[in-house]
Amino acid sequence: MMLAALLILLGAIIAYSVVTFLYQKRILKTLTEEEFKEGYRKAQLIDVREPNEFEGGHILGSRNIPMSQLRMRYKEVRPDKPVYLYCQNGIRSGRAAAMLRRKGVKDLYHLKGGYRLWSGKIRKGK
């Protein structure tokens, strides 16, 4: 009985993860670092990491709208301009894209591998 409940729960978690992954893949274009560099200056570059992570170093020209604050601050993102998102490794930027999509933002991109794989220009906090 307990094993059956665990297997059902595990199946539900796997199904949810697959559906979420496929949805993010449909609404969000994943860019290599080179592709990201080609377009991010003409877009809204948003770092969805927490402020302490942003202060530790961020892509030059990005602004910090942490995932934890995005629900309250999404109006700072213009729906008529491309949005380039990144986080530490790509997970939070996918969740941020899903939320922004629900708010009407359609032109969404994120950095493959996130900030930890970025080799371009950065700015360190104080």
Side-chain angles (χ1 to χ4, degrees), residues 8-50:
I8 290 169
L9 181 62
L10 184 61
I13 291 170
I14 290 169
Y16 174 79
S17 298
V18 167
V19 166
T20 301
F21 172 78
L22 293 173
Y23 176 68
Q24 287 177 3
K25 201 157 180 57
R26 191 168 55 86
I27 65 160
L28 178 68
K29 183 158 174 39
T30 301
L31 302 176
T32 65
E33 183 173 334
E34 286 309 309
E35 293 168 327
F36 200 83
K37 284 177 181 174
E38 284 172 21
Y40 82 87
R41 285 186 182 84
K42 296 181 227 94
Q44 301 170 86
L45 180 58
I46 300 171
D47 183 330
V48 297
R49 299 175 304 154
E50 292 304 307

Side-chain angles (χ1 to χ4, degrees), residues 60-77:
L60 198 62
S62 65
R63 69 188 151 122
N64 189 217
I65 303 179
M67 185 63 209
S68 61
Q69 298 174 18
L70 193 57
R71 198 172 305 287
M72 296 172 295
R73 295 179 58 192
Y74 75 89
K75 287 187 175 153
E76 294 175 36
V77 180

Side-chain angles (χ1 to χ4, degrees), residues 33 37 40 58-60 115 117-123:
E33 183 173 334
K37 284 177 181 174
Y40 82 87
H58 54 271
I59 297 174
L60 198 62
Y115 181 75
L117 297 181
W118 180 255
S119 66
K121 291 185 178 170
I122 63 164
R123 167 168 276 148

Side-chain angles (χ1 to χ4, degrees), residues 101-121:
R101 177 66 182 228
R102 286 191 299 275
K103 301 295 186 187
V105 180
K106 298 207 176 4
D107 205 2
L108 296 160
Y109 305 86
H110 84 135
L111 177 61
K112 182 179 183 174
Y115 181 75
R116 89 188 145 83
L117 297 181
W118 180 255
S119 66
K121 291 185 178 170

